[in-house]
Amino acid sequence: MQGSYVEIKYTNTKEDLLAFNEHHLANSQVYQRRRIINLYVTPFVVLLVFCLLAFFTGKTSYYAGGVLGALASYLWTFVAYKRYAKKCSEVFQKEVFCEHKVVISDVGVNESTANSSSQFTWDALDKIETNEDYIFIYNTPATAFVIPKREIGKDSFEAVKLALDNAL
């Protein structure tokens, strides 16, 4: 990519931020491990503690409490994890929901909006991931430039993917 560059402009929407959050959470090992612990291990521990309490005290009502407590813990966690990605996208972020100009060159990635500008060399970027509809250029382990295919068109989307592949 010597001396060449690709420049694109796009505007992110709430749906783009939601898509990023869902993609990131689905591919985050830390998040998945925490989710498994909260969904399965915690209710099991609650049930086990109440069963042990019932066994040692001789009060059978603790068994029912354990089952209800484990069920409530599981359902609460299940609903919370289902809503998490959507909840993250509901916070208004003026530097996300605006026009972005991204320039991909042999030096790295330069991103600018009306209020800010940032440049990242290739070594400074965390990772780059793509799916059918988006390119995610991670500048930290949990934040990324979200480039939507629908905003830049299929040809530009493929050109950006090619430029990123050639640069890495």
Side-chain angles (χ1 to χ4, degrees):
M1 229 175 94
Q2 210 136 26
S4 64
Y5 68 93
V6 174
E7 179 180 313
I8 53 169
K9 291 182 181 179
Y10 61 91
T11 302
N12 286 128
T13 64
K14 195 176 194 177
E15 288 75 29
D16 299 330
L17 189 55
L18 179 60
F20 168 69
N21 287 328
E22 288 174 348
H23 173 85
H24 178 68
L25 295 175
N27 294 294
S28 169
Q29 290 179 350
V30 172
Y31 175 82
Q32 293 303 324
R33 189 171 32 251
R34 188 178 318 139
R35 184 175 178 263
I36 287 169
I37 289 170
N38 288 335
L39 273 174
Y40 304 111
V41 175
T42 302
F44 178 74
V45 169
V46 168
L47 180 62
L48 182 65
V49 167
F50 274 87
C51 286
L52 287 173
L53 223 97
F55 179 75
F56 288 118
T57 63
K59 295 184 180 180
T60 57
S61 61
Y62 284 127
Y63 288 118
V67 169
L68 292 175
L71 183 61
S73 173
Y74 176 81
L75 291 175
W76 180 269
T77 304
F78 182 78
V79 169
Y81 276 100
K82 276 290 199 195
R83 295 194 62 220
Y84 186 72
K86 185 176 181 185
K87 207 65 167 147
C88 290
S89 68
E90 289 178 355
V91 177
F92 180 75
Q93 301 173 38
K94 70 179 181 177
E95 280 302 302
V96 173
F97 304 121
C98 62
E99 183 176 83
H100 298 259
K101 178 178 147 188
V102 172
V103 177
I104 300 165
S105 70
D106 55 346
V107 176
V109 176
N110 184 323
E111 190 257 359
S112 59
T113 67
N115 298 318
S116 68
S117 178
S118 56
Q119 177 149 355
F120 296 89
T121 63
W122 293 112
D123 289 337
L125 293 173
D126 194 62
K127 62 185 169 186
I128 297 170
E129 295 182 351
T130 63
N131 65 24
E132 195 174 294
D133 299 315
Y134 292 94
I135 297 171
F136 305 106
I137 302 173
Y138 281 80
N139 53 347
T140 72
T143 60
F145 304 128
V146 180
I147 303 172
K149 181 180 188 176
R150 65 154 207 299
E151 278 284 312
I152 64 173
K154 182 181 179 183
D155 293 337
S156 291
F157 188 78
E158 294 303 322
V160 170
K161 283 174 63 173
L162 183 62
L164 291 169
D165 287 342
N166 289 339
L168 300 174

